Amino acid sequence: MSLAEIRSSVGDSTLPPLRCDICIVGSGPAGVTLAESLSGTKLRVILLESGTGERSNFADSLNQIENVGRPRAEQWAVRNRILGGSSHTWGGRCGDFDDIDFEMRDWVPHSGWPFDRAHMEPYLDRSARYLGLAQGSGYSDERFWQFAGRHPPDNDLDKEVLIPFFWQFSRDPEESYPYEYRRFGRNLDRKLGSNITLVTGATVLKVHIEDTSNSVKSVEFATQDGHSKLIAAPVVILCCGGVENARILLNSDSQNPRGLGNDYDQVGRYLMDHLRGPIGSFDVSTTAALQKRYGRYNVDGRFFRAGFRLSPTVQRRERLLNCASWLGEIRAPDDPWDALRRIVGGAGRLPSDVFSVVSNSNLLVRGIKDHFAEKNGVPRKLSALTLECMIEQVPNPDSRVTLSEKRDHLGMRLPKVDWRSSVNEARSMHAMAHLTAGEFARLGLPIPQLEQWVLDKADLPDSFVDVAHPTGTTRMSAEPSSGVVDENCQVHGVPGLYVSGSSVFPTAGHCNPTQMIVAMAVRLSDHLVSNASAGSDELSARVLVDAV
């Protein structure tokens, strides 16, 4: 890998000529996975990143939005304009989509993927090495017990109502902390081949196409001082997340005032995320066994968290959306494990941390047994225990990203975000809460006290904001009248222009999107290499030139 960091236009003449067959925009999980997958091939690849290796106020300012819809989280929690992208703030959770997530469901308008889950399984398996997973598929349901070498519970949930689900946490074996998640911007010099050039400090403004063929011609980017440059490239892949992918396409209006891929006004529509929050709570003092059953499991140095999801049977019968639940642990300020970690790391708050360790030594003793003998997560001292729920959203064409009249420091129009929720999401969460309470009562487990908004069958609280999973704004579709990219993630009507990431998902499923994002990037890499092997004229090399 070679590196070019552009902080301003001054001194650009000292840069070597940058030539590429493929230009990847964005260095988050999708962009870096593509670059890694294409490493060692004969394809010359440029990986562009707006930020640098360090967070900066200037880069953060480029993530401003004009929000006109449902309340949203602070932007740094959602969009990281830095090398590694959103992997800087993700929680490492990975999950496998369900069969029903790919289906066309008559009670979920605009649902249905162009392929089924079985088609994605080989790519999910291959995603494991990019994410540091123990296994890429087959771990998220009752098969977990066999995979983990454990006996399943004697009495378990009724699979016609709720189905066991296990999230797996990413792990980066190259990091000193043994359970650090994969941060995609780290150690790229060792991961990317000599055919990859990483360019940082380059904020993409728009993509240009040929006047006659509509095929990709170049990418225009700006340096931090506002000067623009062009990279001529026959293939461009946008990997900038659900908000920015749509923004770049809409801003690419040199030939068409509506932007690229937007002849049918589809770019930016169907914005989804995951609504997540508590639907119930427990008395902490009576839930030790429950915490152990639905806590963390250690399998060969990888952590898994247990939970459950709505069964397809219930979804079809009650016409519900897919959702999942787990225990939300709120650790007490005097949790002994947190105190012990601070002391060992030299950041202990003395004498309070020593007191926390001594006064809660019973949890430490239990934790040693749980961790080393039973291969579970250690028991924590909690101040509260909630029943958390995360749900997919109905694809709504009026929930969308458009362009604001306001502009950022580089003159690019801000994204105007109108994110919406529906009554179906609240209704499905109500059902999950009541079904969980019923199943726990049947099994003799502690019964959650349901939240008042659930008991009142009210709408979702405003505190249920987005969880950094923007989805659907450049969705896959068979026809350009109903989406933005085809099943190979190429923008309809624009040869050589691709989009990668959760923005291409037609529906969001109930689980965290990162593993599916990486699996889809691996799939796209195969498509690009196959095209190159077939001698596609998309992949003729171009040269970096100054913008006119």
Side-chain angles (χ1 to χ4, degrees), residues 447-509:
I447 303 171
Q449 173 62 49
L450 302 186
E451 295 288 321
Q452 192 61 48
W453 69 270
V454 172
L455 296 173
D456 293 341
K457 296 185 177 180
D459 200 358
L460 299 173
D462 285 344
S463 58
F464 285 35
V465 297
D466 58 311
V467 292
H469 301 164
T471 302
T473 56
T474 63
R475 69 198 315 259
M476 286 188 291
S477 65
E479 300 295 334
S481 58
S482 56
V484 179
V485 303
D486 64 19
E487 67 176 45
N488 292 317
C489 299
Q490 181 172 262
V491 173
H492 289 297
V494 189
L497 180 57
Y498 294 84
V499 182
S500 189
S502 58
S503 68
V504 306
F505 296 0
T507 51

Side-chain angles (χ1 to χ4, degrees), residues 4 38 58 62 139 180 192 248 274 288 329 358 360 455 509 530 541:
L38 296 170
F58 177 80
L62 299 177
Y139 63 82
E180 174 68 306
L192 301 183
I248 292 172
H274 285 120
E329 302 167 341
V358 173
N360 297 290
L455 296 173
S530 176

